[in-house]
């Protein structure tokens, strides 16, 4: 279930969604004993519930902030097994976090796009955070739990029959490395 709202002639939008998924016969990928190959196994049942939020702000034209936009989205997710899962010599208890499902994620983008005569400059900065989550059903290793920042620059020209542009991207500016 969700709601989308728009205010000030669409200069501000806000979305909110809540969800509840009750899964039966959930399949996950597992490594075989010795780790030589992967296979799909059935953990029985799981539940995933959460909240997703997003907002976007685009200032009115004619203001000092014309051309600037800000968007942000966040997700809070609780995805766990509902039943015990026998796995070889171990039993994974009900309530175990599903692999690769961080509890929290966020993304923010601040961007500017302008027009100066025939020139169209643009710049953007993106921040992303991926929360930590287990790499497998046993939680052997925590993956995620990192932030990245990206930067993009673009300059386009609209004064000719074709529209050339040059763009530069700097992905993961601070060279953040993590298990993913």
């Amino acid at each position: 279930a969700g709601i989308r709202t728009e205010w000030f002639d669409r200069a501000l939008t806000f979305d909110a969604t809540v969800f509840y998924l009750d899964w039966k016969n959930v399949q996950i990928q597992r490594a075989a004993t010795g780790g030589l190959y992967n296979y799909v196994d059935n953990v029985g049942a799981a539940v995933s519930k959460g909240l997703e939020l997003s907002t976007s702000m685009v200032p009115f034209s004619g203001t000092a902030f014309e051309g600037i936009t800000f968007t942000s989205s966040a997700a809070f997710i609780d995805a766990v097994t509902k039943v015990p899962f026998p796995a070889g010599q171990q039993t994974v208890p009900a309530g175990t976090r599903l692999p690769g499902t961080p509890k929290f994620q966020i993304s923010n983008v601040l961007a500017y796009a302008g027009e100066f005569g025939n020139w169209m400059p643009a710049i953007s900065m993106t921040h992303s955070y991926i929360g930590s989550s287990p790499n497998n059903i046993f939680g052997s290793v925590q993956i995620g739990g990192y932030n990245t920042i990206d930067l993009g620059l673009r300059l386009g020209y609209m004064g000719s029959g074709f529209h050339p542009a040059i763009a530069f991207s700097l992905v993961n500016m601070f060279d953040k490395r993590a298990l993913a």
Side-chain angles (χ1 to χ4, degrees):
I3 186 169
R4 170 171 281 169
T5 61
E6 297 175 341
W7 299 320
F8 311 114
D9 198 26
R10 295 186 180 168
L12 177 64
T13 61
F14 179 77
D15 299 337
T17 304
V18 295
F19 61 90
Y20 180 88
L21 301 169
D22 190 0
W23 293 340
K24 291 181 178 43
N25 301 318
V26 177
Q27 294 181 333
I28 61 166
Q29 193 170 33
R30 293 194 42 212
T33 304
L36 294 177
Y37 62 91
N38 290 338
Y39 65 98
V40 175
D41 203 353
N42 188 318
V43 297
V47 64
S48 179
K49 52 192 171 190
L51 170 67
E52 295 178 350
L53 305 168
S54 68
T55 189
S56 177
M57 292 176 269
V58 182
F60 293 113
S61 58
T63 67
F65 301 104
E66 183 176 1
I68 296 175
T69 60
F70 174 73
T71 58
S72 184
S73 60
F76 307 92
I77 301 168
D78 186 27
V80 296
T81 60
K82 285 177 58 175
V83 295
F85 170 58
Q89 303 291 337
Q90 302 178 42
T91 297
V92 176
T96 299
R97 186 153 197 75
L98 292 179
T101 56
K103 281 193 175 214
F104 184 70
Q105 300 179 65
I106 190 167
S107 175
N108 302 295
V109 179
L110 180 62
Y112 169 78
E115 192 173 322
F116 297 97
N118 291 327
W119 295 97
M120 301 184 74
I123 185 170
S124 65
M125 185 169 62
T126 303
H127 163 259
S128 297
Y129 172 75
I130 304 293
S132 65
S133 64
N135 69 321
N136 60 36
I137 196 70
F138 303 106
S140 304
V141 175
Q142 289 295 304
I143 59 174
Y146 61 91
N147 291 280
T148 60
I149 295 179
D150 305 334
L151 183 65
L153 302 168
R154 183 179 189 282
L155 181 61
Y157 183 73
M158 301 297 285
S160 61
F162 66 102
H163 307 291
I166 187 166
F168 297 97
S169 295
L170 185 54
V171 178
N172 194 4
M173 283 177 51
F174 301 106
D175 197 26
K176 180 66 178 173
R177 298 181 186 247
L179 293 174

